[in-house]
Amino acid sequence: MYSLKEGLRALNSRTRPALICRRNISEEAPKQDSPFKWRKPIGQHTGINIYNHGLRQKVPLILRNPQMVTWYTCGPTVYDSAHLGHASTYVKVDILQRILRDYFKINLVTAMNITDVDDKIIKRAQLAGLDWQKMARAYEAEFRQDMLRLNVQAPDVRSHVTTTMPVIIQFIQQLIDGKQAYVTPDNSVYFDVSKSKNYGKLQNLGLSEDKLDPIKRNTADFALWKARKSGSEPTWAAPWGGEGRPGWHIECSAIAGLFFGRQLDIHAGGLDLRFPHHENEEAQCCARYKTDQWVNYWVHTGQLHMVGDREKMSKSLGNTISVSELLKKYTADEFRMACLLSNYRNAMPYSDQLMVTARQTLQRFRNFQADLSAYTQFLKPVHLLDEGALKAQLTHTVTEFDNCLRDDFDTARAISVLIDQMSSISRCINEQQVDAQEEPAYCIDLLLAAGNFINRAIVTFGLSELQDKESLQEKVSFTDHSIDPNLLVNDVINVRGRMRERATSGNVKNPQLLAACDELRSLLQQHGIQVRDHKQGSSWVFAVSCEKQDDKSKSSAE
């Protein structure tokens, strides 16, 4: 006699034809007797915790070799322009790599593949009447330019599928020789998942026993090599017979194995790649290198989707925004801040409201830097502060910021910690009196130390330095390169400052001069220069207004 639970389980097993049966969500966290276990590396503890999707919990980041950490990222399939879904993955990966490299001082060695031969590339080129290689190279060049514009650091090494074909073929041959793969009558090659004892471990999946494809030994088997289908598609000769080209999953395994061998520290990619792509990569390499764990840490970034859409941004769904379209309306820093404000492994709902929030957050940092600079240049009244409280606040900020990054790279909370520090300092430098428990002091050094820490933190995340005056040369184009726009703006601000001083000196204010000062402020604002008046002078900060950006986007749309 079946229980109700057993009856439902039996019914599901009969009616579900899928190859892979996902376990009940409550059972996804592996139990102690689960065959899918993550093996903790032996090495140096970093004090960093990183999320493990298989275990559904955070685990310690342990370095096999403290002098070198290997990181592989799945690269693009270059058959079309990159969209924001791609961009969010690579920007988030870039943020994590910068944190490890620049904040934790870990020597990362990074690699990425470029898929330059694929079904999508071949089909797109045929439909457009283009040479597939030239088309792939053109989209690759565009991808590299997009990453440069988004300030994504290039990997230490890239490798194309077409240039590593001998390595891929050798990898497949070794799997065939080891009875982990088999050749079909048409000279295609499939991986035999029944020989992989840990298959399904990344997503905690179980294999279905249904067999739906007569060519395969098991329904779950996947292609390592695709035999030639027509005379027009690109092919390479194979030692097991005939000609063909590699399947999608084998290329990353072979390329990563070429660079890093039998063990890889960190492997990154979008969450949508976890199954089947990363699952198949892990299975292939575990079979090839005769190990039960090829990658020690899988990093999966959450997918970007438009607010209101359930599905991720995808070319097949036609809901994409290209990187070029993004940068017509927003800056690379604003998009990066949007990524920082969401956990790297969570879904990222994209909207104009998200980007406005990112813009406003960036502006808070710039305004803080401008106010601090004005204070330390004595454009604001300098007064005595509570030195003990400032020291305690800075210590708390440094400690909490460090804790955030050690806790699975929680950048959203880290940004909040920095904002709290900025708010505290802003209150200090704008108050006229202080109720200090200890002997009050001017504390210019402590204020600058806090400002330096915040600026270094921002740069660590890959954002532009907060001292925008230094970067304005890059933002403004002059035909005469001998003109320094920073000095030009300083001169204009100084002239305006003298006008404002004359207009407000004496018992009677000069309304004409004040109106001229206001008009000059408005003109500068239209060109992205925000003037900030203080009691003892004025300062400025570069700030693109929302209205100006909206006008640009409307004109470009027209």
Side-chain angles (χ1 to χ4, degrees):
M1 187 89 178
Y2 281 112
S3 68
L4 177 60
K5 184 175 181 181
E6 289 170 334
L8 289 172
R9 187 178 297 150
L11 177 62
N12 286 336
S13 67
R14 289 197 298 270
T15 58
R16 185 164 43 197
L19 146 73
I20 298 295
C21 302
R22 188 179 180 102
R23 299 181 192 276
N24 186 288
I25 203 72
S26 64
E27 298 173 355
E28 282 197 10
K31 300 176 182 178
Q32 292 299 317
D33 58 351
S34 170
F36 305 137
K37 292 183 178 179
W38 174 72
R39 177 165 41 81
K40 185 185 296 185
I42 299 173
Q44 178 177 297
H45 285 254
T46 61
I48 302 168
N49 289 318
I50 187 168
Y51 190 77
N52 182 303
H53 280 274
L55 298 178
R56 301 180 71 81
Q57 66 185 41
K58 297 168 188 175
V59 297
L61 178 61
I62 301 172
L63 308 183
R64 296 177 300 132
N65 180 356
Q67 281 69 50
M68 179 187 72
V69 173
T70 55
W71 181 306
Y72 182 85
T73 303
C74 288
T77 300
V78 285
Y79 74 100
D80 204 344
S81 299
H83 57 67
L84 295 195
H86 303 131
S88 66
T89 291
Y90 294 116
V91 168
K92 288 177 180 180
V93 168
D94 183 68
I95 290 169
L96 301 188
Q97 290 181 344
R98 286 174 183 268
I99 290 171
L100 290 174
R101 184 186 294 116
D102 300 334
Y103 182 79
F104 290 113
K105 307 303 179 185
I106 292 174
N107 183 19
L108 285 184
V109 180
T110 59
M112 176 189 287
N113 72 301
I114 301 292
T115 300
D116 58 346
V117 59
D118 177 84
D119 289 343
K120 294 177 181 178
I121 295 172
I122 296 168
K123 182 178 179 180
R124 179 71 182 271
Q126 289 174 344
L127 291 174
L130 299 172
D131 177 84
W132 66 272
Q133 287 180 301
K134 290 182 179 179
M135 188 192 78
R137 283 197 293 268
Y139 280 123
E140 181 192 349
E142 183 181 301
F143 170 79
R144 292 195 185 203
Q145 183 63 28
D146 284 342
M147 294 302 102
L148 185 65
R149 295 165 73 190
L150 292 172
N151 197 27
V152 172
Q153 293 179 330
D156 293 321
V157 62
R158 289 188 182 96
S159 185
H160 299 75
V161 172
T162 54
T163 58
T164 51
M165 200 60 66
V167 175
I168 295 172
I169 291 172
Q170 182 187 39
F171 196 111
I172 296 173
Q173 185 63 60
Q174 288 169 329
L175 291 176
I176 295 172
D177 294 341
K179 309 301 183 184
Q180 299 279 355
Y182 57 92
V183 183
T184 62
D186 68 346
N187 288 320
S188 294
V189 181
Y190 285 85
F191 183 83
D192 189 344
V193 297
S194 67
K195 303 291 182 65
S196 177
K197 62 179 181 180
N198 290 327
Y199 190 76
K201 66 179 181 180
L202 296 190
Q203 198 145 321
N204 198 25
L205 302 170
L207 289 176
S208 168
E209 296 181 358
D210 296 329
K211 188 175 184 298
L212 304 178
D213 191 331
I215 297 177
K216 302 179 184 180
R217 293 178 182 175
N218 313 280
T219 308
D221 294 351
F222 54 90
L224 303 178
W225 187 261
K226 300 179 180 181
R228 177 196 290 272
K229 296 177 183 178
S230 67
S232 60
E233 67 180 40
T235 58
W236 287 260
W240 48 84
E243 293 187 349
R245 53 188 171 82
W248 175 34
H249 312 300
I250 191 64
E251 62 186 59
C252 283
S253 293
I255 291 172
L258 170 66
F259 294 133
F260 303 128
R262 61 181 296 107
Q263 191 83 64
L264 178 58
D265 293 315
I266 302 173
H267 191 315
L271 185 60
D272 55 325
L273 298 182
R274 183 169 54 159
F275 184 85
H277 185 53
H278 290 165
E279 190 70 61
N280 292 348
E281 277 190 71
E282 177 76 7
Q284 292 164 158
C285 286
C286 286
R288 164 67 182 85
Y289 298 116
K290 296 179 174 57
T291 181
D292 60 353
Q293 183 167 295
W294 174 53
V295 173
N296 285 337
Y297 300 94
W298 290 92
V299 173
H300 293 113
T301 61
Q303 296 166 308
L304 181 144
H305 62 90
M306 300 296 293
V307 167
D309 286 354
R310 291 185 176 181
E311 302 292 335
K312 68 171 184 175
M313 185 172 286
S314 168
K315 294 169 187 173
S316 61
L317 297 175
N319 60 353
T320 62
I321 298 173
S322 70
V323 173
S324 295
E325 289 171 328
L326 166 80
L327 295 178
K328 289 177 182 177
K329 192 171 185 180
Y330 303 107
T331 67
D333 275 349
E334 287 165 350
F335 184 69
R336 184 171 288 255
M337 178 57 78
C339 292
L340 286 164
L341 292 175
S342 64
N343 186 290
Y344 76 90
R345 56 185 168 86
N346 289 349
M348 183 175 172
Y350 180 84
S351 66
D352 282 331
Q353 183 56 52
L354 170 68
M355 295 305 298
V356 168
T357 299
R359 173 180 289 165
Q360 292 171 343
T361 304
L362 268 176
Q363 197 58 48
R364 288 186 69 175
F365 280 91
R366 290 172 181 150
N367 290 346
F368 163 76
Q369 185 63 43
D371 277 350
L372 180 60
S373 177
Y375 186 84
T376 55
Q377 293 176 31
F378 308 109
L379 297 176
K380 287 175 173 286
V382 177
H383 42 266
L384 298 173
L385 303 174
D386 188 334
E387 183 176 8
L390 277 176
K391 284 181 178 179
Q393 178 69 23
L394 179 56
T395 300
H396 173 78
T397 298
V398 172
T399 301
E400 282 303 301
F401 183 82
D402 184 76
N403 290 339
C404 292
L405 298 191
R406 291 182 185 277
D407 184 16
D408 196 30
F409 315 110
D410 192 344
T411 56
R413 191 157 61 93
I415 292 293
S416 177
V417 168
L418 297 179
I419 289 175
D420 287 344
Q421 171 73 98
M422 291 191 303
S423 299
S424 176
I425 291 177
S426 294
R427 286 193 297 271
C428 288
I429 64 179
N430 290 308
E431 289 177 357
Q432 296 302 312
Q433 296 181 0
V434 60
D435 183 17
Q437 296 181 358
E438 301 179 7
E439 183 71 22
Y442 289 109
C443 303
I444 298 295
D445 52 350
L446 283 173
L447 296 176
L448 289 173
N452 288 345
F453 179 80
I454 292 170
N455 190 58
R456 285 198 306 272
I458 288 299
V459 173
T460 295
F461 291 147
L463 294 165
S464 302
E465 288 195 53
L466 297 177
Q467 291 90 342
D468 279 296
K469 295 182 183 182
E470 299 301 321
S471 60
L472 188 61
Q473 183 79 50
E474 302 171 4
K475 291 180 168 65
V476 183
S477 176
F478 282 85
T479 54
D480 183 355
H481 295 288
S482 64
I483 297 177
D484 185 343
N486 302 307
L487 296 178
L488 177 61
V489 174
N490 282 337
D491 287 343
V492 172
I493 295 298
N494 288 335
V495 170
R496 179 184 174 278
R498 289 195 292 271
M499 291 170 56
R500 183 168 173 268
E501 186 178 353
R502 290 175 185 172
T504 56
S505 61
N507 296 327
V508 181
K509 294 184 178 180
N510 188 318
Q512 288 81 14
L513 277 180
L514 285 175
C517 289
D518 291 340
E519 183 178 0
L520 185 54
R521 174 203 286 273
S522 297
L523 287 172
L524 289 169
Q525 178 69 40
Q526 291 176 26
H527 294 283
I529 305 298
Q530 185 181 88
V531 180
R532 305 175 66 82
D533 290 322
H534 313 289
K535 286 192 174 182
Q536 295 167 225
S538 301
S539 61
W540 61 274
V541 61
F542 191 87
V544 180
S545 68
C546 297
E547 293 82 1
K548 184 181 177 184
Q549 288 282 19
D550 290 341
D551 291 342
K552 281 186 177 181
S553 62
K554 289 177 183 177
S555 63
S556 63
E558 295 170 356

